[in-house]
């Protein structure tokens, strides 16, 4: 069990103990000649290009089979499913307050839908099968159109059979640009994912198997940035980069750092926060979460600095590098400390006295019996037996996890709660299982309390890590009418009961 008792003031950025210094050489082959294909864009590029749109103004997003060179440029490509056949899919760019029109065309052999993670948009566009729309059959299409209220870093992914469809590659970043330019030299999207591959490089099957579901979820043994085995990100001395990091993995929590650089968090889960230098440089990123960093490239021309993630065994893996050009610095000195990003129009007046408070214990999974000394009601006998939760929409053998003692598909049965629009909701998540969970609320951002008192942490979230034996108390104004899902973003946990929905009327 990791020691997570000592909370940093800036809780998302948990300190990682200094590591042994031995770096994996997994990528030693990939350094020379690796492609320079970071998704780097000029910071003030036009939001959505108008070319390539349908006659009625939609951008086509075809979900279809494709190939990706996940193991480097020389290894055989991996057959994937991706938007436009790419994994990650194309980075979509929108402008705050302007309508985005996307036509999903399903060229897969399965039905699918798209969920727009973190976007506070109309419920009918949220992309949750049965709750907000029916799944889109093979050969069919669905028009999504919405106006993002918030500028920031978001992402999109399949929300149908997602243990399989996300593991096959159906995800991508969605950037909503601020109305006014942000003072950075470049805007770089970094999509962080893990993949479980066979020796031959195919996507390993066994999606949603019982072992994954009852344990940490599906973890992959290959880690990519922007679908590349070893990303080379070119930089210039004294350049300021905005790095938009997105964790699209099914279940893996990454600890990520960029060696030899100071990084400053500017936004979390798409929402600006007071700029804060990351303690020890290590970000802890749950599945589904995003962090916007400003990085001032302070090394000499010709330098290289690794981008590292933990390997879950106390070591680190190199997954890419900042590669400094040999030319002159971009400017003589790095830029001064940045101003905060402009705030988004979030509902931040919490009526605590009139709030609806919901206790949501998180139960189930393997090892619960062991951990709880055999006495936990919802635990799994011998670590792997039937959990015995009552449930909605799931057969008994798939009821491995529960929210508030109910194992649900997340769209069947009654809502966990129903509130009138505008009411403040407090949710108290208590993790009584042996695994961390990443609790995600659709259609809303929330604040987390700093402890048992009234103080709030200085940032907004749409997904919060709840560690074993810990609680997280969050608050939001239920201001978005509709039927919204609430679930663990370890996708295999979601698919086996750790899901619910609530209604805002
Ligand atoms: Cu979970």
């Amino acid at each position: 069990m990791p020691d997570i008792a000592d909370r940093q003031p800036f809780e998302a950025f948990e300190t990682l103990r200094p590591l042994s210094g031995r770096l994996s050489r997994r990528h030693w082959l990939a350094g020379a000649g690796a492609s320079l294909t970071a998704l780097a864009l000029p910071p003030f590029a036009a939001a959505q290009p108008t070319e390539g749109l349908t006659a009625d103004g939609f951008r086509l997003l075809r979900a279809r089979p494709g190939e990706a060179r996940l193991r480097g440029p020389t290894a055989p490509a991996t057959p994937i499913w991706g938007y436009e056949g790419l994994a990650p899919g194309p980075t979509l760019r929108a402008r705050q307050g302007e309508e985005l029109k996307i036509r999903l065309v399903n060229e897969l052999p399965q039905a699918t839908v798209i969920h727009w993670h973190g976007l506070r948009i109309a419920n009918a566009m949220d992309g949750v099968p049965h709750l907000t729309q029916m799944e889109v059959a093979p050969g069919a299409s669905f028009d999504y159109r919405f106006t993002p209220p918030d500028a920031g870093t978001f992402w999109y992914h399949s929300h149908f059979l997602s243990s399989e469809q996300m593991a096959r590659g159906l995800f991508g970043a969605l950037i909503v640009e601020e109305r006014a330019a942000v003072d950075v030299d470049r805007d770089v999207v970094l999509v962080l994912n893990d993949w479980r591959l066979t020796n031959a490089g195919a996507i390993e099957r066994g999606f949603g198997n019982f072992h994954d579901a009852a344990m940490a979820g599906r973890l992959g043994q290959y880690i990519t940035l922007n679908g590349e085995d070893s990303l080379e990100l070119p930089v210039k001395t004294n350049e300021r980069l905005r790095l938009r990091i997105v964790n699209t993995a099914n279940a893996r929590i990454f600890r990520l750092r960029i060696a030899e650089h100071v990084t400053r968090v500017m936004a979390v889960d798409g929402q600006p926060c007071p700029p804060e230098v990351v303690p020890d440089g290590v970000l802890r990123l749950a599945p589904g979460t995003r962090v916007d960093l400003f990085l001032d490239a302070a090394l000499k021309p010709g330098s290289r600095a690794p981008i590292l993630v933990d390997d879950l065994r106390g070591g680190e893996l190199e997954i890419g590098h900042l590669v400094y050009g040999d030319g002159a610095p971009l400017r003589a000195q790095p830029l001064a400390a940045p101003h905060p990003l402009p705030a988004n129009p979030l509902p931040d007046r919490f009526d605590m006295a009139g709030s609806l408070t919901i206790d949501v214990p998180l139960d189930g999974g393997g090892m619960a019996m062991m951990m709880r000394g055999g006495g936990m009601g919802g635990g799994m006998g011998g670590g792997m037996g039937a959990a015995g939760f009552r449930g909605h929409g799931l057969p008994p053998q798939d009821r491995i996890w529960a929210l508030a003692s109910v194992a649900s598909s997340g769209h069947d049965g009654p809502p966990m709660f129903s509130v009138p629009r505008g009411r403040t909701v407090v949710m108290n998540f208590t993790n009584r299982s042996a695994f961390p969970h990443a609790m995600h609320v659709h259609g809303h951002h929330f604040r987390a309390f700093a402890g048992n008192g009234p103080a709030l942490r200085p940032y907004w979230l749409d997904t919060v890590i709840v560690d074993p034996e810990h609680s997280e108390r969050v608050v939001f104004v239920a201001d978005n009418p509709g039927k919204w899902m609430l679930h663990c973003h370890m996708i295999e946990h979601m698919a086996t009961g750790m899901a619910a929905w609530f209604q805002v009327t």
Side-chain angles (χ1 to χ4, degrees), residues 436-438 488 490 493 498:
H437 301 289
C488 178
M490 279 73 172
H493 296 173
M498 197 166 267

Side-chain angles (χ1 to χ4, degrees), residues 235-264:
V235 296
K236 293 176 182 149
T237 296
N238 293 337
E239 187 176 21
R240 172 167 288 172
L241 305 183
R242 178 181 188 164
L243 302 178
R244 302 175 181 264
I245 304 169
V246 187
N247 180 358
T248 61
N250 279 39
R252 192 185 189 101
I253 299 173
F254 287 100
R255 286 179 164 85
L256 178 142
R257 71 183 177 98
I258 299 171
E260 300 172 62
H261 286 78
V262 173
T263 50
R264 202 179 254 113

Side-chain angles (χ1 to χ4, degrees), residues 44-59:
F44 317 129
Q48 284 293 313
T50 49
E51 68 270 22
L53 301 184
T54 62
D56 50 352
F58 281 82
R59 173 162 181 166

Side-chain angles (χ1 to χ4, degrees), residues 118-131:
L119 283 122
R120 301 184 303 122
I121 52 177
N123 188 242
M125 296 290 108
D126 195 47
V128 174
H130 303 281
L131 208 56

Side-chain angles (χ1 to χ4, degrees), residues 110-152:
Q110 287 177 354
T112 194
V113 291
I114 299 179
H115 169 58
W116 314 93
H117 184 121
L119 283 122
R120 301 184 303 122
I121 52 177
N123 188 242
M125 296 290 108
D126 195 47
V128 174
H130 303 281
L131 208 56
T132 70
Q133 68 171 101
M134 293 309 293
E135 56 267 29
V136 180
S141 68
F142 187 88
D143 288 349
Y144 293 96
R145 48 192 301 177
F146 50 81
T147 302
D150 303 326

